[in-house]
Amino acid sequence: MSNSTNSTTGISIQNIADMQGKIIPRSFIHGYVVLSFLVSFIGAWTALELISRRTAMRGYYNWFLLAGSSFSIGGIAIWSMHYIGNRAIVLGDERPQLQIVYSAGYTVISLFVPVAVLFIVFASVGSNATMNTTRVVLGGALTGFAVCGMHYLGQAGIANYDCVYPVPFVIEAITIAVVASITALCMFFLFRPAWDTRWWRRPICAVVLAGAVSGIHWLASVGTQYRLKKMDASPMNSISRALTVIIVLVLSICCCIVLVLTMLLAQWRLAKLAKRAQQVVLATAIFDYEDRILVTSEGYLPNRKIADAWVERSLDDTFSVSHPVFLWMFRITRNWNGVAKLLPGMRNHVHSAGLKRRLGSKFESNLVNDHGTPIEDYSLIFRELFCVAADDLAHDLHEPLDKMGILYDEITVTGQQAMKEKKKDTHSDLDLEGLSGGNGKLLFLLRIVNRRDAEHLQTAGYCFAEPSNVIPFLATTLKVGPKLLSQRFEIMREYVAEERMFDPGVHLAIFAIRASLGAGRHGFDVLARKDAKNQLPTMQFSFDDLNDFQLEYLKTMDSMTMAAIMKKLVEALRRSPSEKEKHFAKQLFDTIEAIKEESENPIFDDAKLIADPIRAPCRGVSQDSPPGVATFITFRIVVPIHSRAPGRKLMYIPLNFFKMQQQLHKNAAAHDVFAREVHREFANVLDLEDLDAKASPAFAPDPFNNGQTNKIEGEKAGDRRATVASQRRHSRARVEKSSETNLVDANSHDDEPTLGIVNYAGGAGGKKISSTSPRISRNQGERGTGFELSQGGQKTRNGVVEKKPKEEDTQTYIDEMFTITITKR
């Protein structure tokens, strides 16, 4: 039975014809009232879930979300709610002849009007990057009028009644609709950037928006009176109440399905991200011109898995920035073109390595075989997986591979348990290895985009967010300290902003090394700047070159400690009769004082001078020119193994990593050399796949030959198979060795000499290269070099000194400093 809300509900209607032109009493079914609000809530929530994933004003992805959200709120939250709500109205004494009948034309029009209006509203409000308060308020007001317009347009579609609306009720309904709609949209759009970590605010906002729609409907319905028309409505032009309810329920169920799928997709992505916190993952950190970071519409960093884990083949095989595999990946990101053409072959090689057969996924990246040991070509395939992951990321972002940016020089350890943030500076000289306690490894590709590229990425379905808004969410899912992650983002933004290079001129440098600490680290660490890990601690002189007098003066102090030199300079300033000596002594003294103050540690008092100037690459004449040449006056020192980096601006990093960075300056000749070596290394492996294909037909029996012929052919096939297997083993051994110890050709060439110690001779400013020292390249660039440390003219591998090959390793200025420091220790 219905529940009466009108004092006249109980009037008995005996003759419908006698009631035409009269007000018919009404009552409401409470169940439909509740159902109408639920329908409105589902439509509003679905709309907000869809629109929250909109990232830009353009792009098919964003237009699809805009259309879906407009239909969800206009067609479900408003239109469907209206007709379910009207289904709750019972007229008269529940006779079917007295119930509401709708006109087909008005009913269809009332559906498309709110959808079109809401489409305009959401389009005008914009995405994260373009919304503002004025447009949100105007959009909310327009939404309120759309709700009212749909209600009264739907009421106009009632075929068998004339509706009577008291003016006060109409004004109150419009006021409620506008105010509530503005409130709901302001809650959603103005606070939307922080909702990636607070998903529950969208349902709350949907409740407010559904309340606006329901509030205007029921306030208007209570004040509406129904006057029965002459019963002449044609059944062909009307829609029954039952059909209306069926249509509304079908639309609502579809909306529920969309909402459930959206929520399940969000939960699946969240679980996937949590799982990746235990894996080796490649992510992007792309910053725009406003220092915001690129994220997905859910607030995740675009990422791809490289491997399930890094498998340590020995106690010393720790994956860190000093590992040869990381050094290779770090270098290849500075020259993506060197690997772009090899990617199809890499994908096929990963496929043929057996990963698909074992794990059921074409590019699943478990590098452990069924016996629990690393698979063959372990390091090679790991590097291939890195390149494939980068290419997949480029495809996700709709960007070419060469625009994926450069690899960050630190590894972030993920999957750690909750821990307290350190009060002290967490960016210590061991940060390059990441923090302990986690199983996952997170590598970042860094890039800064201009306005045009940012719009392209937003069109592809991504958005830019303030790092502070997404860090809590990312820190929770990755199980990384939020303070550490925030610091990393700030440092990465500065790291990728510009290339760190010395300015041309004369510099005073400190070359301080110590024996390496930490698992998997061998050889030495070198002291470098925190803000530029490819630079030694230096202080620039005011003059641009060294003259003959200054060179001879420096030679008189060769191998003297810094403390002794300071005393000599003070003495020269007091007693020297030569103004030239006093002037140079003053400049040298002030520069040494400045670099000591920056280091904040007296340990450099024992550093000894390398009197011969050393040439190093520096900033070129223009942005497109090769590196120039700077001159270093260097102090050398070997510090105790447990010494910490002095001051707050310096840190120790692996010497092989520091050395490799000296070859990565923009337009350096080493890029082309490395690209050729990469192509040569991988081409050997990828070509072997064809050998197997050519050999395989020989093993099949020939039905047109007798058994003896097949036997002979089988023996020949066996010989060929053994040959192919031997070639594969030999090549794999060669490549495995290359991947671990000599990823880049270390042989020198006469046409590409490098920078090092030079002897000054001739007139003032005249320079001549020593016949026993590396020469300066004609283009002032640098050659590529291997990853082994050069110690006293010999290579060391895992602490074992090896004999030099017949062809010398290419030397950098770091090698020269290291050789002098070790031999004169």
Side-chain angles (χ1 to χ4, degrees):
M1 292 296 293
S2 62
N3 297 284
S4 175
T5 59
N6 191 302
S7 60
T8 62
T9 302
I11 298 176
S12 176
I13 302 175
Q14 301 296 331
N15 193 333
I16 296 178
D18 296 338
M19 300 301 297
Q20 292 183 2
K22 297 182 180 179
I23 300 298
I24 304 300
R26 68 190 179 330
S27 60
F28 299 99
I29 301 176
H30 293 168
Y32 279 105
V33 174
V34 176
L35 180 61
S36 66
F37 179 82
L38 291 178
V39 168
S40 182
F41 170 72
I42 291 172
W45 189 2
T46 303
L48 296 183
E49 286 289 344
L50 293 177
I51 201 65
S52 68
R53 286 159 173 75
R54 188 166 178 249
T55 58
M57 303 292 290
R58 297 180 295 177
Y60 292 111
Y61 171 82
N62 291 295
W63 286 115
F64 172 77
L65 292 177
L66 181 61
S69 59
S70 302
F71 183 81
S72 294
I73 194 169
I76 309 298
I78 299 176
W79 187 85
S80 296
M81 180 274 159
H82 173 85
Y83 285 100
I84 288 292
N86 276 4
R87 181 66 179 84
I89 299 174
V90 178
L91 295 172
D93 54 359
E94 300 186 13
R95 295 183 186 181
Q97 299 87 345
L98 293 178
Q99 305 313 307
I100 296 174
V101 178
Y102 299 100
S103 169
Y106 276 101
T107 301
V108 173
I109 293 175
S110 65
L111 170 63
F112 288 104
V113 167
V115 172
V117 172
L118 267 298
F119 186 92
I120 296 173
V121 169
F122 287 149
S124 62
V125 169
S127 61
N128 273 348
T130 57
M131 65 186 179
N132 59 59
T133 305
T134 302
R135 283 190 288 180
V136 170
V137 172
L138 292 178
L142 191 58
T143 300
F145 285 114
V147 174
C148 291
M150 186 275 135
H151 175 81
Y152 289 108
L153 186 62
Q155 291 292 96
I158 296 177
N160 56 340
Y161 282 95
D162 287 325
C163 297
V164 180
Y165 308 111
V167 175
F169 283 93
V170 175
I171 296 176
E172 291 176 5
I174 293 175
T175 302
I176 290 177
V178 171
V179 173
S181 297
I182 291 176
T183 302
L185 292 185
C186 285
M187 287 176 58
F188 176 72
F189 282 105
L190 297 184
F191 299 99
R192 176 184 168 190
W195 285 7
D196 292 319
T197 57
R198 302 176 185 178
W199 63 269
W200 46 266
R201 290 191 176 182
R202 287 191 288 275
I204 292 178
C205 186
V207 170
V208 177
L209 192 56
V213 177
S214 300
I216 177 266
H217 177 87
W218 293 114
L219 182 63
S221 295
V222 169
T224 301
Q225 295 179 326
Y226 296 89
R227 180 183 292 115
L228 184 63
K229 286 184 180 180
K230 184 179 180 181
M231 302 297 293
D232 58 357
S234 174
M236 298 297 296
N237 297 323
S238 62
I239 300 178
S240 67
R241 293 185 359 163
L243 180 60
T244 304
V245 172
I246 292 174
I247 294 174
V248 169
L249 290 179
V250 169
L251 292 177
S252 300
I253 291 173
C254 293
C255 193
C256 287
I257 293 174
V258 172
L259 181 60
V260 170
L261 291 177
T262 302
M263 299 299 294
L264 289 178
L265 180 61
Q267 291 299 317
W268 175 78
R269 289 181 176 176
L270 186 62
K272 186 178 181 180
L273 188 63
K275 182 179 179 181
R276 287 190 174 177
Q278 305 293 332
Q279 300 170 336
V280 184
V281 176
L282 179 65
T284 62
I286 301 177
F287 300 91
D288 70 352
Y289 48 91
E290 295 180 353
D291 293 343
R292 298 174 300 177
I293 192 168
L294 183 76
V295 295
T296 65
S297 57
E298 294 90 353
Y300 312 139
L301 293 175
N303 65 87
R304 282 281 184 163
K305 183 180 72 172
I306 299 174
D308 291 334
W310 171 264
V311 182
E312 298 181 1
R313 290 163 290 177
S314 66
L315 295 177
D316 293 331
D317 190 31
T318 302
F319 187 64
S320 64
V321 299
S322 62
H323 197 284
V325 172
F326 180 86
L327 298 181
W328 186 93
M329 296 188 302
F330 187 84
R331 190 165 185 180
I332 201 64
T333 62
R334 270 67 179 175
N335 187 21
W336 282 116
N337 292 330
V339 76
K341 294 182 179 179
L342 298 174
L343 277 168
M346 287 181 172
R347 289 181 182 273
N348 292 333
H349 186 238
V350 169
H351 183 191
S352 65
L355 302 184
K356 177 183 178 182
R357 292 190 298 272
R358 182 162 61 252
L359 299 173
S361 176
K362 186 172 183 179
F363 297 120
E364 195 65 49
S365 43
N366 186 348
L367 301 181
V368 180
N369 59 27
D370 297 331
H371 302 290
T373 59
I375 62 175
E376 285 189 283
D377 300 337
Y378 176 84
S379 298
L380 178 84
I381 292 180
F382 191 91
R383 286 181 281 148
E384 288 178 331
L385 289 171
F386 171 81
C387 295
V388 169
D391 189 52
D392 290 339
L393 265 178
H395 182 267
D396 294 341
L397 297 173
H398 301 276
E399 292 280 341
L401 181 62
D402 59 359
K403 283 191 174 182
M404 287 308 298
I406 59 177
L407 187 63
Y408 183 46
D409 61 7
E410 296 183 19
I411 300 174
T412 301
V413 177
T414 58
Q416 303 171 97
Q417 299 299 324
M419 61 180 184
K420 296 181 180 180
E421 298 285 354
K422 295 182 180 180
K423 296 182 180 180
K424 298 182 180 180
D425 182 15
T426 59
H427 197 63
S428 68
D429 45 309
L430 293 179
D431 271 355
L432 283 174
E433 306 300 334
L435 295 177
S436 61
N439 298 323
K441 308 287 185 183
L442 183 60
L443 309 179
F444 286 102
L445 290 176
L446 308 184
R447 180 188 172 197
I448 293 181
V449 295
N450 54 30
R451 186 181 298 273
R452 180 177 180 181
D453 290 337
E455 291 177 353
H456 173 73
L457 291 169
Q458 290 174 319
T459 301
Y462 296 88
C463 57
F464 287 92
E466 293 294 335
S468 59
N469 291 331
V470 296
I471 281 175
F473 173 71
L474 292 175
T476 301
T477 54
L478 295 175
K479 296 182 181 179
V480 178
K483 185 177 180 180
L484 172 64
L485 196 59
S486 177
Q487 290 176 342
R488 287 287 166 91
F489 280 164
E490 293 178 5
I491 296 172
M492 286 190 294
R493 178 61 178 81
E494 296 176 359
Y495 177 87
V496 74
E498 61 177 344
E499 185 179 19
R500 264 60 172 186
M501 293 191 71
F502 296 109
D503 292 325
V506 181
H507 300 257
L508 181 70
I510 301 292
F511 183 72
I513 59 175
R514 72 176 185 189
S516 293
L517 293 172
R521 295 174 66 166
H522 306 285
F524 291 88
D525 294 334
V526 63
L527 190 66
R529 291 170 49 187
K530 278 186 180 179
D531 62 339
K533 301 184 186 70
N534 64 337
Q535 292 186 14
L536 298 173
T538 60
M539 194 65 63
Q540 189 167 4
F541 287 95
S542 58
F543 47 83
D544 296 330
D545 210 343
L546 292 170
N547 56 39
D548 292 339
F549 170 79
Q550 293 168 335
L551 291 171
E552 293 299 326
Y553 195 80
L554 289 173
K555 288 182 179 180
T556 63
M557 298 182 290
D558 187 30
S559 297
M560 292 179 59
T561 65
M562 184 180 290
I565 291 176
M566 294 288 283
K567 292 180 180 180
K568 180 176 180 179
L569 295 176
V570 171
E571 189 70 18
L573 289 173
R574 290 179 179 177
R575 301 184 179 182
S576 176
S578 171
E579 291 297 326
K580 182 186 296 187
E581 180 181 359
K582 285 184 177 181
H583 180 68
F584 182 61
K586 175 64 174 174
Q587 290 178 313
L588 190 57
F589 181 88
D590 292 342
T591 307
I592 294 176
E593 276 289 324
I595 202 169
K596 287 181 63 178
E597 290 179 3
E598 183 168 315
S599 66
E600 302 176 0
N601 196 304
I603 192 173
F604 293 145
D605 287 341
D606 296 328
K608 296 182 179 180
L609 179 68
I610 300 176
D612 290 322
I614 295 178
R615 309 297 296 278
C618 69
R619 203 178 306 276
V621 178
S622 65
Q623 188 175 6
D624 297 325
S625 63
V629 179
T631 303
F632 281 3
I633 300 173
T634 311
F635 281 94
R636 56 180 173 84
I637 185 173
V638 179
V639 299
I641 188 172
H642 295 293
S643 298
R644 297 184 62 85
R648 300 180 180 179
K649 300 180 180 179
L650 304 175
M651 66 184 302
Y652 283 103
I653 68 172
L655 182 60
N656 62 343
F657 179 59
F658 183 84
K659 175 182 174 181
M660 183 265 297
Q661 292 185 89
Q662 309 312 309
Q663 307 161 58
L664 304 182
H665 298 306
K666 187 177 180 180
N667 303 317
H671 291 302
D672 294 333
V673 176
F674 181 66
R676 290 195 296 269
E677 293 301 329
V678 169
H679 189 274
R680 184 180 302 121
E681 177 189 4
F682 281 91
N684 291 335
V685 178
L686 303 181
D687 287 343
L688 285 176
E689 306 304 317
D690 295 332
L691 291 177
D692 288 337
K694 293 176 181 178
S696 58
F699 306 124
D702 187 352
F704 297 99
N705 292 327
N706 56 32
Q708 182 67 24
T709 304
N710 288 338
K711 180 179 179 181
I712 296 174
E713 291 299 324
E715 293 175 355
K716 293 180 179 179
D719 294 339
R720 285 193 292 268
R721 180 167 56 184
T723 302
V724 171
S726 176
Q727 290 174 339
R728 287 186 62 86
R729 286 193 300 269
H730 176 72
S731 177
R732 283 174 175 170
R734 181 175 65 252
V735 172
E736 188 71 8
K737 179 180 178 181
S738 172
S739 67
E740 287 302 308
T741 59
N742 193 17
L743 299 180
V744 185
D745 185 14
N747 298 330
S748 59
H749 296 266
D750 292 336
D751 60 340
E752 294 187 71
T754 55
L755 303 174
I757 299 178
V758 298
N759 290 336
Y760 287 72
K767 304 175 183 62
K768 182 177 71 175
I769 308 301
S770 170
S771 60
T772 60
S773 301
R775 291 165 289 175
I776 301 176
S777 173
R778 290 185 295 273
N779 64 357
Q780 296 178 340
E782 289 190 81
R783 277 255 318 123
T785 183
F787 294 144
E788 298 88 3
L789 298 178
S790 175
Q791 180 172 342
Q794 294 177 316
K795 293 192 301 179
T796 62
R797 181 177 300 159
N798 296 337
V800 179
V801 178
E802 297 181 347
K803 294 182 179 180
K804 292 176 61 176
K806 293 182 180 180
E807 296 179 303
E808 275 194 317
D809 289 349
T810 299
Q811 302 289 294
T812 67
Y813 76 97
I814 297 300
D815 292 302
E816 300 302 326
M817 292 180 179
F818 182 83
T819 301
I820 294 172
T821 302
I822 293 299
T823 55
K824 294 186 177 182
R825 179 172 51 181

